[in-house]
Amino acid sequence: MSRKFCFLIIAAASLMILSSCRKDGHGRNENKSVTLNVTVNAGEVYKLDLSQYGDADDLATITRQATSYATTSEINRNITGNNIYSFSKSGSPKTGGNGTDLVILKVYEPEGRCRNHDETNITINFTIL
C-alpha cells in the first residue's frame, strides 16, 4: 500500500469516529441544576428515579449526604438498571416536627465518552414530618 492510501484510510476513519461523537448531542458540555422540595413522613421511604435526569449509561452519586437521616440515604439500581435514590428517616409522623434535611445528587456521563460532559446536580430539600 502506498503512504497516501494509508493516510486517506486513517483520515477517513478519524473523521467517522469524530462525526459519530457528534450524533445525538455527543461532544457537548451541559450542566443542569434541579431543586426539589419534598415532604416526607418519618418512617416512610421516598424514592426518586434518576433516569429522568440522564442517559441509561450515566452514573449517579451523592455529593452531599443527608445529615440527620437515620435509616436510608443511598443510590441503588433497580431491576431495569435505573439509578434510584432512596431516603427515609426513622420515626413516626405522629410525633411531628422532625425537621429538615438536604441532599445533593449528581447524575453524570462516564469518562471517555466522546468528550461528553453532561451533568445534572439535583438538590433535594426534605421536610420531615
Side-chain angles (χ1 to χ4, degrees), residues 15-28:
L15 184 61
M16 287 185 346
I17 290 170
L18 288 174
S19 67
S20 71
C21 287
R22 302 262 183 247
K23 292 180 184 174
D24 299 325
H26 291 283
R28 67 184 188 273

Side-chain angles (χ1 to χ4, degrees), residues 42-87:
E44 293 182 359
V45 177
Y46 168 79
K47 292 188 182 240
L48 177 64
D49 185 345
L50 300 176
S51 65
Q52 62 188 317
Y53 301 105
D55 304 34
D57 68 340
D58 283 359
L59 303 175
T61 187
I62 299 172
T63 58
R64 179 173 173 181
Q65 185 59 274
T67 57
S68 67
Y69 76 95
T71 308
T72 305
S73 180
E74 62 188 10
I75 298 171
N76 290 304
R77 288 196 181 264
N78 66 6
I79 196 162
T80 60
N82 293 340
N83 287 311
I84 305 293
Y85 171 72
S86 300
F87 174 90

Side-chain angles (χ1 to χ4, degrees), residues 50-128:
L50 300 176
S51 65
Q52 62 188 317
Y53 301 105
D55 304 34
D57 68 340
D58 283 359
L59 303 175
T61 187
I62 299 172
T63 58
R64 179 173 173 181
Q65 185 59 274
T67 57
S68 67
Y69 76 95
T71 308
T72 305
S73 180
E74 62 188 10
I75 298 171
N76 290 304
R77 288 196 181 264
N78 66 6
I79 196 162
T80 60
N82 293 340
N83 287 311
I84 305 293
Y85 171 72
S86 300
F87 174 90
S88 68
K89 181 175 181 191
S90 62
S92 167
K94 292 180 182 179
T95 59
N98 286 328
T100 61
D101 212 332
L102 173 75
V103 174
I104 301 175
L105 311 173
K106 179 168 75 170
V107 178
Y108 60 99
E109 200 69 38
E111 288 292 323
R113 187 146 175 249
C114 296
R115 299 179 319 274
N116 197 2
H117 301 288
D118 288 349
E119 179 178 301
T120 301
N121 292 294
I122 306 156
T123 300
I124 306 174
N125 297 307
F126 284 106
T127 300
I128 303 144

